[in-house]
Amino acid sequence: MARCRRCRAYINPYVVFIDGGSRYKCVLCGVSNEVPQLFDWDSVNNQPADRWQRAELNHAVVDFTAPAEYLVRPPQPLVYVFLIDVSFSAIQSGMVATATRTILESLERIPNADNRTKIAIIGFDTALYFFSLTSETTESSMMVVSDIEDVFLPKPTDLLVNLTECRAGIESLLGRINEMFAQTASPGSAMGPALQAGFKLIVSHASRVYSVFSAIRC
Ligand SMILES: [Zn+2]
């Protein structure tokens, strides 16, 4: 995108072309700038282009996808961590069944155009329940961390998994969580440690943590 060599203003619909169109006058500071090479060239289709069709000469506001040189690191995949309260009252109130069903029905709407989106599910009552998933099987294994004073991740991989690759396993797990904890008698809700665990999972990603917990207490 062409910018003024003196004031760095972007080229825009109000600039005036001079010297037969080879230069333009900056509308902010008045300096004369060279029109960039290939300004009249369509580099996508590799053919001559009409500069007056260019978005930046027709609209005052234009969004461009930032190229790599504008990024300090490659774009990170989207990461979603769901923390689900699986304590007695959460199960009894029907919250867990509703939450897991809702997440299941929402998987399709999670942005994942590039198939890089990652997802993790953590259950909690007085302990934390991690679920390990792989793309090879729809089975998941559950790991219980009962030391909530000093939260740690029970394994380094397979807790935060690729939504596309592990879709079958994620769906199967969401379908079973309510049943898995149906017999629980645990009254506690280690929400804080669950959040810490979620944070540890996502710390290197741009991400969101969703926490579902029951407000009903016995
Ligand atoms: Zn200028």
Side-chain angles (χ1 to χ4, degrees):
M1 180 97 162
R3 298 182 74 172
C4 173
R5 64 191 159 89
R6 181 199 280 161
C7 75
R8 307 302 293 152
Y10 286 96
I11 199 166
N12 58 68
Y14 308 104
V15 302
V16 177
F17 288 98
I18 51 176
D19 291 354
S22 63
R23 304 183 72 83
Y24 73 93
K25 215 170 173 198
C26 175
V27 75
L28 293 185
C29 73
V31 81
S32 147
N33 291 286
E34 236 173 87
V35 169
Q37 277 186 332
L38 303 179
F39 197 68
D40 300 302
W41 186 258
D42 177 350
S43 56
V44 177
N45 299 311
N46 234 1
Q47 60 187 32
D50 175 6
R51 70 170 65 173
W52 295 106
Q53 299 296 317
R54 296 182 79 99
E56 65 267 43
L57 294 186
N58 285 282
H59 304 281
V61 178
V62 182
D63 282 333
F64 287 92
T65 305
E69 58 262 33
Y70 285 90
L71 305 176
V72 289
R73 61 178 185 178
Q76 300 296 295
L78 285 170
V79 174
Y80 291 81
V81 176
F82 294 96
L83 309 176
I84 305 175
D85 181 343
V86 292
S87 65
F88 177 78
S89 57
I91 291 283
Q92 290 301 310
S93 69
M95 189 283 288
V96 176
T98 303
T100 48
R101 193 179 62 245
T102 305
I103 297 168
L104 187 56
E105 288 168 0
S106 304
L107 290 180
E108 204 49 59
R109 292 200 295 276
I110 289 181
N112 189 23
D114 56 3
N115 289 325
R116 292 166 71 220
T117 298
K118 293 183 172 197
I119 184 170
I121 295 166
I122 301 174
F124 62 95
D125 47 24
T126 50
L128 303 179
Y129 305 93
F130 293 86
F131 300 96
S132 170
L133 292 149
T134 64
S135 55
E136 282 93 49
T137 168
T138 58
E139 297 293 309
S140 52
S141 55
M142 183 170 85
M143 284 147 291
V144 185
V145 171
S146 46
D147 179 4
I148 55 174
E149 294 296 312
D150 185 18
V151 173
F152 63 93
L153 300 178
K155 62 186 292 199
T157 57
D158 302 336
L159 301 177
L160 185 62
V161 298
N162 182 287
L163 174 58
T164 304
E165 291 166 9
C166 299
R167 179 71 178 260
I170 293 165
E171 288 184 1
S172 162
L173 173 63
L174 286 166
R176 282 183 294 118
I177 286 184
N178 189 61
E179 205 179 303
M180 288 162 74
F181 293 94
Q183 304 307 320
T184 187
S186 175
S189 179
M191 172 86 175
L195 280 168
Q196 283 174 13
F199 180 72
K200 278 182 196 263
L201 267 181
I202 64 166
V203 70
S204 59
H205 298 84
S207 33
R208 299 172 184 190
V209 178
Y210 292 95
S211 181
V212 211
F213 63 96
S214 167
I216 303 162
R217 286 279 166 263
C218 297

mmCIF file with all atom_site columns, all heavy atoms in Angstrom, residues 4-9 26-31 33, ligand 1:
data_model
loop_
_atom_site.group_PDB
_atom_site.id
_atom_site.type_symbol
_atom_site.label_atom_id
_atom_site.label_alt_id
_atom_site.label_comp_id
_atom_site.label_asym_id
_atom_site.label_entity_id
_atom_site.label_seq_id
_atom_site.pdbx_PDB_ins_code
_atom_site.Cartn_x
_atom_site.Cartn_y
_atom_site.Cartn_z
_atom_site.occupancy
_atom_site.B_iso_or_equiv
_atom_site.pdbx_formal_charge
_atom_site.auth_seq_id
_atom_site.auth_comp_id
_atom_site.auth_asym_id
_atom_site.auth_atom_id
_atom_site.pdbx_PDB_model_num
ATOM   1  N  N   . CYS A 1 4  ? 2.878  8.109  1.885  1.00 0.00 ? 4  CYS A N   1
ATOM   2  C  CA  . CYS A 1 4  ? 3.631  9.337  1.633  1.00 0.00 ? 4  CYS A CA  1
ATOM   3  C  C   . CYS A 1 4  ? 5.028  9.228  2.243  1.00 0.00 ? 4  CYS A C   1
ATOM   4  O  O   . CYS A 1 4  ? 5.178  8.806  3.381  1.00 0.00 ? 4  CYS A O   1
ATOM   5  C  CB  . CYS A 1 4  ? 2.881  10.517 2.242  1.00 0.00 ? 4  CYS A CB  1
ATOM   6  S  SG  . CYS A 1 4  ? 3.827  12.046 2.174  1.00 0.00 ? 4  CYS A SG  1
ATOM   7  N  N   . ARG A 1 5  ? 6.036  9.605  1.463  1.00 0.00 ? 5  ARG A N   1
ATOM   8  C  CA  . ARG A 1 5  ? 7.407  9.456  1.960  1.00 0.00 ? 5  ARG A CA  1
ATOM   9  C  C   . ARG A 1 5  ? 7.703  10.425 3.090  1.00 0.00 ? 5  ARG A C   1
ATOM   10 O  O   . ARG A 1 5  ? 8.586  10.187 3.897  1.00 0.00 ? 5  ARG A O   1
ATOM   11 C  CB  . ARG A 1 5  ? 8.421  9.631  0.821  1.00 0.00 ? 5  ARG A CB  1
ATOM   12 C  CG  . ARG A 1 5  ? 8.438  11.007 0.194  1.00 0.00 ? 5  ARG A CG  1
ATOM   13 C  CD  . ARG A 1 5  ? 9.266  11.019 -1.098 1.00 0.00 ? 5  ARG A CD  1
ATOM   14 N  NE  . ARG A 1 5  ? 8.901  12.150 -1.947 1.00 0.00 ? 5  ARG A NE  1
ATOM   15 C  CZ  . ARG A 1 5  ? 9.479  13.344 -1.858 1.00 0.00 ? 5  ARG A CZ  1
ATOM   16 N  NH1 . ARG A 1 5  ? 10.428 13.572 -0.971 1.00 0.00 ? 5  ARG A NH1 1
ATOM   17 N  NH2 . ARG A 1 5  ? 9.081  14.319 -2.650 1.00 0.00 ? 5  ARG A NH2 1
ATOM   18 N  N   . ARG A 1 6  ? 6.967  11.519 3.188  1.00 0.00 ? 6  ARG A N   1
ATOM   19 C  CA  . ARG A 1 6  ? 7.247  12.456 4.267  1.00 0.00 ? 6  ARG A CA  1
ATOM   20 C  C   . ARG A 1 6  ? 6.378  12.194 5.510  1.00 0.00 ? 6  ARG A C   1
ATOM   21 O  O   . ARG A 1 6  ? 6.890  12.020 6.604  1.00 0.00 ? 6  ARG A O   1
ATOM   22 C  CB  . ARG A 1 6  ? 7.038  13.900 3.814  1.00 0.00 ? 6  ARG A CB  1
ATOM   23 C  CG  . ARG A 1 6  ? 7.362  14.896 4.934  1.00 0.00 ? 6  ARG A CG  1
ATOM   24 C  CD  . ARG A 1 6  ? 6.749  16.261 4.687  1.00 0.00 ? 6  ARG A CD  1
ATOM   25 N  NE  . ARG A 1 6  ? 7.529  17.056 3.757  1.00 0.00 ? 6  ARG A NE  1
ATOM   26 C  CZ  . ARG A 1 6  ? 7.031  18.119 3.104  1.00 0.00 ? 6  ARG A CZ  1
ATOM   27 N  NH1 . ARG A 1 6  ? 5.771  18.481 3.282  1.00 0.00 ? 6  ARG A NH1 1
ATOM   28 N  NH2 . ARG A 1 6  ? 7.794  18.810 2.288  1.00 0.00 ? 6  ARG A NH2 1
ATOM   29 N  N   . CYS A 1 7  ? 5.032  12.155 5.354  1.00 0.00 ? 7  CYS A N   1
ATOM   30 C  CA  . CYS A 1 7  ? 4.161  12.078 6.536  1.00 0.00 ? 7  CYS A CA  1
ATOM   31 C  C   . CYS A 1 7  ? 3.579  10.694 6.764  1.00 0.00 ? 7  CYS A C   1
ATOM   32 O  O   . CYS A 1 7  ? 2.887  10.463 7.747  1.00 0.00 ? 7  CYS A O   1
ATOM   33 C  CB  . CYS A 1 7  ? 3.047  13.115 6.452  1.00 0.00 ? 7  CYS A CB  1
ATOM   34 S  SG  . CYS A 1 7  ? 1.734  12.661 5.279  1.00 0.00 ? 7  CYS A SG  1
ATOM   35 N  N   . ARG A 1 8  ? 3.888  9.742  5.893  1.00 0.00 ? 8  ARG A N   1
ATOM   36 C  CA  . ARG A 1 8  ? 3.453  8.343  6.028  1.00 0.00 ? 8  ARG A CA  1
ATOM   37 C  C   . ARG A 1 8  ? 1.942  8.155  5.846  1.00 0.00 ? 8  ARG A C   1
ATOM   38 O  O   . ARG A 1 8  ? 1.403  7.094  6.158  1.00 0.00 ? 8  ARG A O   1
ATOM   39 C  CB  . ARG A 1 8  ? 3.894  7.726  7.382  1.00 0.00 ? 8  ARG A CB  1
ATOM   40 C  CG  . ARG A 1 8  ? 5.375  7.860  7.682  1.00 0.00 ? 8  ARG A CG  1
ATOM   41 C  CD  . ARG A 1 8  ? 6.273  7.237  6.645  1.00 0.00 ? 8  ARG A CD  1
ATOM   42 N  NE  . ARG A 1 8  ? 6.184  5.787  6.566  1.00 0.00 ? 8  ARG A NE  1
ATOM   43 C  CZ  . ARG A 1 8  ? 6.417  5.075  5.468  1.00 0.00 ? 8  ARG A CZ  1
ATOM   44 N  NH1 . ARG A 1 8  ? 6.720  5.674  4.338  1.00 0.00 ? 8  ARG A NH1 1
ATOM   45 N  NH2 . ARG A 1 8  ? 6.326  3.768  5.484  1.00 0.00 ? 8  ARG A NH2 1
ATOM   46 N  N   . ALA A 1 9  ? 1.256  9.181  5.363  1.00 0.00 ? 9  ALA A N   1
ATOM   47 C  CA  . ALA A 1 9  ? -0.183 9.018  5.089  1.00 0.00 ? 9  ALA A CA  1
ATOM   48 C  C   . ALA A 1 9  ? -0.365 7.976  3.988  1.00 0.00 ? 9  ALA A C   1
ATOM   49 O  O   . ALA A 1 9  ? 0.434  7.908  3.048  1.00 0.00 ? 9  ALA A O   1
ATOM   50 C  CB  . ALA A 1 9  ? -0.773 10.351 4.648  1.00 0.00 ? 9  ALA A CB  1
ATOM   51 N  N   . CYS A 1 26 ? 0.507  14.350 -1.995 1.00 0.00 ? 26 CYS A N   1
ATOM   52 C  CA  . CYS A 1 26 ? -0.099 13.930 -0.738 1.00 0.00 ? 26 CYS A CA  1
ATOM   53 C  C   . CYS A 1 26 ? -1.142 14.958 -0.306 1.00 0.00 ? 26 CYS A C   1
ATOM   54 O  O   . CYS A 1 26 ? -0.900 16.152 -0.331 1.00 0.00 ? 26 CYS A O   1
ATOM   55 C  CB  . CYS A 1 26 ? 0.965  13.784 0.348  1.00 0.00 ? 26 CYS A CB  1
ATOM   56 S  SG  . CYS A 1 26 ? 0.273  13.420 1.961  1.00 0.00 ? 26 CYS A SG  1
ATOM   57 N  N   . VAL A 1 27 ? -2.303 14.440 0.090  1.00 0.00 ? 27 VAL A N   1
ATOM   58 C  CA  . VAL A 1 27 ? -3.397 15.326 0.431  1.00 0.00 ? 27 VAL A CA  1
ATOM   59 C  C   . VAL A 1 27 ? -3.197 15.957 1.815  1.00 0.00 ? 27 VAL A C   1
ATOM   60 O  O   . VAL A 1 27 ? -3.786 16.978 2.145  1.00 0.00 ? 27 VAL A O   1
ATOM   61 C  CB  . VAL A 1 27 ? -4.722 14.553 0.327  1.00 0.00 ? 27 VAL A CB  1
ATOM   62 C  CG1 . VAL A 1 27 ? -4.905 13.613 1.507  1.00 0.00 ? 27 VAL A CG1 1
ATOM   63 C  CG2 . VAL A 1 27 ? -5.904 15.479 0.184  1.00 0.00 ? 27 VAL A CG2 1
ATOM   64 N  N   . LEU A 1 28 ? -2.319 15.380 2.616  1.00 0.00 ? 28 LEU A N   1
ATOM   65 C  CA  . LEU A 1 28 ? -2.105 15.912 3.963  1.00 0.00 ? 28 LEU A CA  1
ATOM   66 C  C   . LEU A 1 28 ? -0.956 16.912 4.010  1.00 0.00 ? 28 LEU A C   1
ATOM   67 O  O   . LEU A 1 28 ? -1.095 17.999 4.559  1.00 0.00 ? 28 LEU A O   1
ATOM   68 C  CB  . LEU A 1 28 ? -1.832 14.770 4.959  1.00 0.00 ? 28 LEU A CB  1
ATOM   69 C  CG  . LEU A 1 28 ? -2.998 13.821 5.232  1.00 0.00 ? 28 LEU A CG  1
ATOM   70 C  CD1 . LEU A 1 28 ? -2.625 12.820 6.309  1.00 0.00 ? 28 LEU A CD1 1
ATOM   71 C  CD2 . LEU A 1 28 ? -4.245 14.593 5.644  1.00 0.00 ? 28 LEU A CD2 1
ATOM   72 N  N   . CYS A 1 29 ? 0.199  16.553 3.416  1.00 0.00 ? 29 CYS A N   1
ATOM   73 C  CA  . CYS A 1 29 ? 1.355  17.438 3.567  1.00 0.00 ? 29 CYS A CA  1
ATOM   74 C  C   . CYS A 1 29 ? 1.759  18.093 2.251  1.00 0.00 ? 29 CYS A C   1
ATOM   75 O  O   . CYS A 1 29 ? 2.637  18.949 2.227  1.00 0.00 ? 29 CYS A O   1
ATOM   76 C  CB  . CYS A 1 29 ? 2.532  16.685 4.173  1.00 0.00 ? 29 CYS A CB  1
ATOM   77 S  SG  . CYS A 1 29 ? 3.314  15.532 3.050  1.00 0.00 ? 29 CYS A SG  1
ATOM   78 N  N   . GLY A 1 30 ? 1.146  17.682 1.140  1.00 0.00 ? 30 GLY A N   1
ATOM   79 C  CA  . GLY A 1 30 ? 1.386  18.349 -0.132 1.00 0.00 ? 30 GLY A CA  1
ATOM   80 C  C   . GLY A 1 30 ? 2.623  17.902 -0.869 1.00 0.00 ? 30 GLY A C   1
ATOM   81 O  O   . GLY A 1 30 ? 2.897  18.365 -1.972 1.00 0.00 ? 30 GLY A O   1
ATOM   82 N  N   . VAL A 1 31 ? 3.394  16.973 -0.292 1.00 0.00 ? 31 VAL A N   1
ATOM   83 C  CA  . VAL A 1 31 ? 4.623  16.566 -0.961 1.00 0.00 ? 31 VAL A CA  1
ATOM   84 C  C   . VAL A 1 31 ? 4.279  15.696 -2.182 1.00 0.00 ? 31 VAL A C   1
ATOM   85 O  O   . VAL A 1 31 ? 3.237  15.035 -2.204 1.00 0.00 ? 31 VAL A O   1
ATOM   86 C  CB  . VAL A 1 31 ? 5.565  15.820 0.022  1.00 0.00 ? 31 VAL A CB  1
ATOM   87 C  CG1 . VAL A 1 31 ? 5.162  14.362 0.176  1.00 0.00 ? 31 VAL A CG1 1
ATOM   88 C  CG2 . VAL A 1 31 ? 7.013  15.908 -0.432 1.00 0.00 ? 31 VAL A CG2 1
ATOM   89 N  N   . ASN A 1 33 ? 4.862  12.524 -4.416 1.00 0.00 ? 33 ASN A N   1
ATOM   90 C  CA  . ASN A 1 33 ? 5.388  11.159 -4.241 1.00 0.00 ? 33 ASN A CA  1
ATOM   91 C  C   . ASN A 1 33 ? 5.355  10.409 -5.552 1.00 0.00 ? 33 ASN A C   1
ATOM   92 O  O   . ASN A 1 33 ? 4.494  10.644 -6.400 1.00 0.00 ? 33 ASN A O   1
ATOM   93 C  CB  . ASN A 1 33 ? 4.512  10.375 -3.259 1.00 0.00 ? 33 ASN A CB  1
ATOM   94 C  CG  . ASN A 1 33 ? 4.617  10.882 -1.848 1.00 0.00 ? 33 ASN A CG  1
ATOM   95 O  OD1 . ASN A 1 33 ? 5.609  10.669 -1.174 1.00 0.00 ? 33 ASN A OD1 1
ATOM   96 N  ND2 . ASN A 1 33 ? 3.589  11.580 -1.391 1.00 0.00 ? 33 ASN A ND2 1
HETATM 97 ZN ZN  . ZN  B 2 .  ? 2.297  13.479 3.127  1.00 0.00 ? 1  ZN  B ZN  1
#
